Amino acid sequence: MEYKIEVNNQTEIYDIGKVAKQAAGSVMLKIKNTVILAAISRDDKQVDENFVPLTVQYIEKTYASGKFPGGFMKRETKPSDFETLTSRIIDRSLRPLFPDGYAYPTQLTVFVLSCDPEVDLQVAALNAASAAIYVSDIPVNKSVSGVRIGRIDGELVVNPTNTELSNSTLDLYVAGTKEELLMIEMKANASMDNNTLPMMTIDPMIDPTLSENMLPVQKINEATEEEILEAIDKAQEAISAAAHAYEEAFSPIKKEDAVLEYKQDLMDDSIAIYIDEFYKEEVKDAIAKMAKSERASELKTIIKKIMTDDTAIKEEWSEEVVKNVMNDYKRKIVRKMIIEDGVRADGRTLTEVRPISIETNILPSVHGSCLFTRGQTQALVSITLGGDKDGQMYELLTKKGNQVDNFMVNYNFPGFSVGEATPLRSPGRRELGHGNLARRALEPTLDVDRVQTIRLVSEILESNGSSSQATICGGSLALKAAGVNVHKLVAGIAMGVVFEDDKHAILTDIMGLEDHDGDMDFKVAGTRDGITALQMDIKLGGISRDTLKEALYQAKEGRNHILSIMEKADEEIKVNNSILPKLELFSIDPSKIVDVIGQAGKTIREIIEKFEVSIDLDRDKGEVKIAGDNKEKVEAAKEHIVGIVNQPSRGRDSRGRDNRRGGSHRDSKPVPKFVQDEVVDGVVKRIVDFGAFVELPGGIDGLLHVSKIADHRVERVSDYLEIEQAVKVKILKQNGNKIELALVK
């Protein structure tokens, strides 16, 4: 049976009861040409432990977009990072809905069967997964909706298309029910000012048509706290509307809840009284030690001691029950200290950040490194720089061909960081999620049109909470230590909230103990001017907007405190230029490419051999790319090519050979003079990303910038102009042979 739901700027068609009918619940969702199957199954036997054994697998079938699987094996194998991160988003959004004590192994499978390049797969996947659970016999009686909020041309947009999202300054993904929000992820998107040239595309020293007021300006587009709150309000309205629509449509066909047994919390009031009477001080001492480690070994020692007491033996107390009672008792003490005394387990105030120390470039053979230590959390972050060929190739269903990732963030969490003797394993969902959060926080501060490939690796050497935020802080400084052009420093901080009755406390820079025993945690990363990335796992049903606002502004204070320490460390960085590779990208007049190549390639071979560099040339765009392991030699090669380009042109044929007797230089012509605002005839001679070069009377070229072609933003210059097209242009400004033009309609 089909259910057509118009909600949040898209038409969703749910086909229920048609396929996968032996699953506990299944749906097939269609949005435009995207088709997603979600099916959930449940075992009849409970696990021994008291937790929700939910497994979520989101899988993209390559046939969904008419592709073959990449690599040697021509079938889907290991999930991509995007698939893993999407599985994690679905899990975090749906897990809180399962009833307390539910311990039946449950498998949620989401297949992408057909892909429309404009449909947001993460939004569609979560909505399909939620519908499958809601119509099943699993006792989940709330519907979840996912929405994405973008900010395009200053306006908030619900569920923008993928093309629209690429032009958005904000990317906010929110999941929740009609009453409360469950999960939030946000990132800022950097952009270039429309009235400037693309970063690192043209060197004004080489192309004389550029003027000084046309230097590139990059916008990081950080979101302020108020802008975040406004976007969350918009998301909450959209989610509530969608959840109401889903429940209204699916309630009549929802299966009757299965009759299940639920595990009860193993509690015993008499044991709690016994612990309070005889072990209260020992538990407090253990909590103080836990403030320095994520391990609970001290509590385990006390539990074993209790089990040897005569009372425990006579009463035949179960060690599992004692353990549960002890954990609950510990939780109450921690929360009471915070709410009533305003003091935390390690003695800090609620707003106090743990001591921070920073060392940079401690690894002599590494391009850049930073050892960032905050309390008992320590991250060693290293940077490796390379060329565009060093990027990570990957595929996306929504895009054709292979994509290349030239900014990678790898987060590693070895067992010794928390004192555990566990073997090293491949990165799991947690590691990929933390690395992705750090990437989202840092990427907006890098050049939009950077030509470097950057790999950032964070080794967590010690952990007691907020290791992902230590990765962000250390990563920002490691980038600086490697000489990367970072527009602003980024700091990250983890916050927590504790609620008791009508009281609440907001905690800055939470440790592992507070993360475990708190009611809400969120991570905020950004610059002094705003937030670049945000991640929250929350329930806002009982949380007022004022409380959330208070938490965001308290996070801002903590972030600025950390940034002050980072700024001092930045001033002391000594970049090891001797080991840094160098990559230069600049443009020259395409007609001068033959001069750089030389007869039969002689000139370019001499440059490569002399300066020990590699050179790539683009004849059509006039782009020159020089790469090498020695910065000085790369810069010398660039100066050598600039010298060749600045020599008077020689007439050459298509093979680069001198086609005039004696190879004499042509006579130089005087530069014609124009009057400001004068309208003249011209001919388009060259089209580039940032505009067009127009030949004017007298044989000189002027620059018609992309911002002067139309009265609105122009995406592609070739949509408006073509080579050899006759045009009328107005002279805006002339400075010698530098002439700026505007198109006359």
Side-chain angles (χ1 to χ4, degrees):
M1 186 178 296
E2 282 191 358
Y3 296 85
K4 185 176 181 180
I5 300 175
E6 302 276 353
V7 65
N8 294 333
N9 298 328
Q10 61 188 18
T11 301
E12 301 178 1
I13 301 174
Y14 291 84
D15 201 333
I16 300 176
K18 181 177 182 179
V19 298
K21 287 176 276 190
Q22 295 192 42
S26 65
V27 303
M28 189 177 286
L29 168 62
K30 182 177 182 181
I31 303 175
K32 295 182 180 177
N33 288 332
T34 287
V35 178
I36 293 181
L37 169 66
I40 189 164
S41 297
R42 165 184 55 81
D43 282 352
D44 293 328
K45 184 179 180 181
Q46 299 185 73
V47 297
D48 295 333
E49 299 84 359
N50 188 1
F51 76 105
V52 179
L54 173 66
T55 302
V56 178
Q57 287 183 293
Y58 165 87
I59 299 172
E60 297 177 344
K61 300 296 184 178
T62 56
Y63 57 71
S65 59
K67 297 180 179 180
F68 283 91
F72 182 77
M73 294 292 294
K74 295 305 176 184
R75 68 178 301 163
E76 292 83 357
T77 52
K78 179 183 176 182
S80 67
D81 285 0
F82 180 82
E83 289 172 295
T84 301
L85 293 170
T86 303
S87 297
R88 191 169 184 258
I89 284 175
I90 296 171
D91 188 305
R92 289 162 51 205
S93 302
L94 298 179
R95 185 177 292 272
L97 300 183
F98 284 79
D100 292 339
Y102 181 93
Y104 294 89
T106 302
Q107 173 73 43
L108 176 59
T109 305
V110 182
F111 285 162
V112 180
L113 304 177
S114 178
C115 177
D116 188 308
E118 291 298 336
V119 173
D120 189 322
L121 292 178
Q122 289 185 331
V123 169
L126 177 59
N127 291 347
S130 172
I133 294 180
Y134 188 79
V135 301
S136 73
D137 63 354
I138 295 174
V140 171
N141 298 307
K142 290 184 178 181
S143 184
V144 170
S145 173
V147 299
R148 196 177 299 276
I149 305 295
R151 186 182 294 275
I152 303 171
D153 295 329
E155 297 295 327
L156 292 176
V157 178
V158 178
N159 286 339
T161 66
N162 287 333
T163 297
E164 291 172 336
L165 189 63
S166 66
N167 296 318
S168 174
T169 59
L170 173 70
D171 184 349
L172 178 74
Y173 185 93
V174 187
T177 67
K178 61 179 182 288
E179 297 94 1
E180 58 193 16
L181 300 184
L182 301 170
M183 191 275 302
I184 300 175
E185 285 195 350
M186 167 263 171
K187 70 172 181 177
N189 293 326
S191 63
M192 297 299 298
D193 191 316
N194 292 339
N195 295 319
T196 62
L197 299 181
M199 182 72 73
M200 297 184 73
T201 300
I202 294 292
D203 190 333
M205 297 298 294
I206 298 173
D207 195 327
T209 60
L210 304 180
S211 58
E212 293 180 357
N213 64 347
M214 298 176 67
L215 295 176
V217 177
Q218 178 163 321
K219 295 181 179 179
I220 297 179
N221 295 319
E222 308 103 313
T224 65
E225 284 70 18
E226 286 298 334
E227 288 172 339
I228 291 290
L229 291 168
E230 179 189 9
I232 289 176
D233 288 342
K234 185 83 169 179
Q236 196 164 22
E237 292 175 7
I239 288 171
S240 181
H244 272 104
Y246 298 151
E247 292 182 11
E248 183 179 350
F250 302 147
S251 291
I253 59 169
K254 176 176 171 53
K255 295 180 181 178
E256 185 176 347
D257 287 350
V259 178
L260 303 174
E261 295 181 1
Y262 297 102
K263 289 185 176 291
Q264 301 298 318
D265 288 333
L266 300 176
M267 302 300 294
D268 189 321
D269 291 340
S270 62
I271 296 177
I273 294 171
Y274 184 82
I275 292 174
D276 189 65
E277 183 69 28
F278 297 105
Y279 289 93
K280 184 175 184 178
E281 294 305 317
E282 289 188 44
V283 172
K284 285 186 175 181
D285 290 341
I287 290 173
K289 292 178 181 178
M290 287 179 68
K292 297 181 180 180
S293 171
E294 287 190 347
R295 301 180 70 197
S297 55
E298 298 297 327
L299 287 182
K300 292 178 182 177
T301 301
I302 298 174
I303 291 169
K304 290 186 180 298
K305 189 175 180 180
I306 292 173
M307 295 306 298
T308 61
D309 288 352
D310 290 340
T311 302
I313 296 172
K314 290 177 181 178
E315 297 294 327
E316 298 182 345
W317 288 344
S318 163
E319 185 172 345
E320 186 179 4
V321 175
V322 173
K323 178 181 178 181
N324 283 348
V325 173
M326 177 64 76
N327 286 332
D328 184 69
Y329 184 78
K330 176 262 300 181
R331 182 175 184 271
K332 289 179 179 178
I333 289 180
V334 170
R335 295 168 67 87
K336 182 179 179 181
M337 290 173 61
I338 291 170
I339 292 293
E340 296 184 6
D341 304 329
V343 177
R344 297 152 78 172
D346 59 357
R348 282 185 292 155
T349 64
L350 304 186
T351 61
E352 189 175 351
V353 178
R354 288 171 289 181
I356 293 173
S357 67
I358 299 171
E359 297 178 65
T360 54
N361 281 343
I362 64 172
L363 304 177
S365 297
V366 176
H367 292 159
S369 60
C370 176
L371 181 64
F372 183 91
T373 307
R374 182 184 57 237
Q376 293 78 41
T377 295
Q378 187 176 68
L380 176 60
V381 189
S382 302
I383 297 291
T384 305
L385 304 178
D388 52 358
K389 294 181 181 178
D390 295 312
Q392 173 69 58
M393 294 182 63
Y394 65 99
E395 293 181 319
L396 289 177
L397 277 187
T398 53
K399 293 185 179 181
K400 294 183 179 180
N402 291 330
Q403 310 298 311
V404 178
D405 187 359
N406 63 2
F407 180 52
M408 297 161 276
V409 179
N410 301 147
Y411 168 100
N412 297 318
F413 193 87
F416 65 74
S417 65
V418 288
E420 295 179 354
T422 55
L424 297 178
R425 300 184 179 92
S426 300
R429 290 183 179 181
R430 179 179 183 273
E431 285 79 10
L432 291 175
H434 283 1
N436 182 59
L437 175 60
R439 174 194 169 125
R440 288 189 280 122
L442 296 171
E443 191 168 26
T445 66
L446 303 177
D447 289 337
V448 171
D449 295 312
R450 62 186 175 274
V451 293
Q452 289 172 309
T453 291
I454 303 171
R455 181 178 182 237
L456 180 153
V457 180
S458 175
E459 310 286 2
I460 303 304
L461 306 184
E462 187 179 358
S463 178
N464 186 15
S466 307
S467 59
S468 64
Q469 305 309 290
T471 295
I472 292 170
C473 298
S476 187
L477 286 169
L479 288 164
K480 298 277 281 187
V484 176
N485 185 29
V486 177
H487 293 271
K488 297 177 184 178
L489 286 173
V490 177
I493 191 164
M495 308 292 293
V497 182
V498 174
F499 291 93
E500 287 291 340
D501 300 325
D502 59 343
K503 297 180 180 180
H504 75 273
I506 299 172
L507 310 178
T508 297
D509 180 26
I510 59 173
M511 52 188 166
L513 179 66
E514 294 162 342
D515 188 4
H516 183 271
D517 292 333
D519 297 313
M520 165 182 164
D521 70 276
F522 57 100
K523 303 174 179 70
V524 187
T527 69
R528 286 197 179 275
D529 297 319
I531 297 169
T532 58
L534 178 71
Q535 179 178 299
M536 296 186 183
D537 291 303
I538 57 177
K539 289 188 176 182
L540 288 181
I543 301 175
S544 68
R545 189 179 190 276
D546 289 340
T547 302
L548 182 58
K549 180 178 180 179
E550 179 186 353
L552 285 172
Y553 277 97
Q554 186 169 317
K556 181 179 181 179
E557 293 177 4
R559 188 173 77 243
N560 286 339
H561 167 76
I562 297 172
L563 282 169
S564 296
I565 299 172
M566 291 173 61
E567 286 163 357
K568 292 179 181 178
D570 181 27
E571 295 174 358
E572 299 174 0
I573 288 176
K574 295 181 180 178
V575 178
N576 192 355
N577 288 313
S578 62
I579 66 168
L580 291 181
K582 180 68 174 177
L583 185 63
E584 287 279 357
L585 176 65
F586 56 97
S587 291
I588 62 176
D589 188 330
S591 65
K592 299 293 185 76
I593 290 288
V594 292
D595 294 321
V596 177
I597 296 174
Q599 187 172 358
K602 179 181 178 182
T603 303
I604 193 170
R605 284 200 305 271
E606 290 176 347
I607 298 172
I608 291 172
E609 292 172 3
K610 179 179 179 180
F611 298 103
E612 297 177 351
V613 296
S614 63
I615 301 176
D616 290 328
L617 302 173
D618 188 319
R619 290 174 177 267
D620 296 327
K621 297 181 180 179
E623 284 187 352
V624 180
K625 186 184 298 180
I626 309 174
D629 293 331
N630 187 290
K631 179 180 180 181
E632 294 179 355
K633 290 183 178 180
V634 171
E635 292 176 347
K638 177 182 177 180
E639 291 180 7
H640 187 81
I641 291 176
V642 171
I644 294 174
V645 171
N646 288 337
Q647 290 178 1
S649 297
R650 303 168 68 91
R652 295 186 182 275
D653 62 18
S654 61
R655 296 180 63 183
R657 297 177 301 191
D658 195 333
N659 62 9
R660 286 185 288 118
R661 295 178 181 176
S664 60
H665 301 313
R666 66 185 179 186
D667 296 333
S668 59
K669 296 181 180 180
V671 178
K673 300 293 184 181
F674 296 96
V675 179
Q676 186 172 347
D677 294 331
E678 176 184 0
V679 177
V680 299
D681 293 321
V683 178
V684 177
K685 289 297 183 182
R686 182 155 57 106
I687 292 176
V688 291
D689 292 341
F690 53 85
F693 290 98
V694 179
E695 184 178 343
L696 306 175
I700 190 171
D701 287 349
L703 175 62
L704 176 60
H705 189 254
V706 65
S707 62
K708 305 301 181 184
I709 293 176
D711 55 4
H712 60 276
R713 179 175 178 176
V714 173
E715 294 294 339
R716 296 200 318 175
V717 179
S718 58
D719 290 341
Y720 293 82
L721 301 173
E722 58 185 29
I723 302 296
E724 298 299 329
Q725 178 182 344
V727 293
K728 286 188 178 294
V729 291
K730 180 190 291 186
I731 307 297
L732 296 180
K733 184 178 180 181
Q734 180 175 8
N735 182 10
N737 60 353
K738 300 177 184 178
I739 304 173
E740 298 175 30
L741 308 173
L743 186 65
V744 177
K745 282 70 173 181

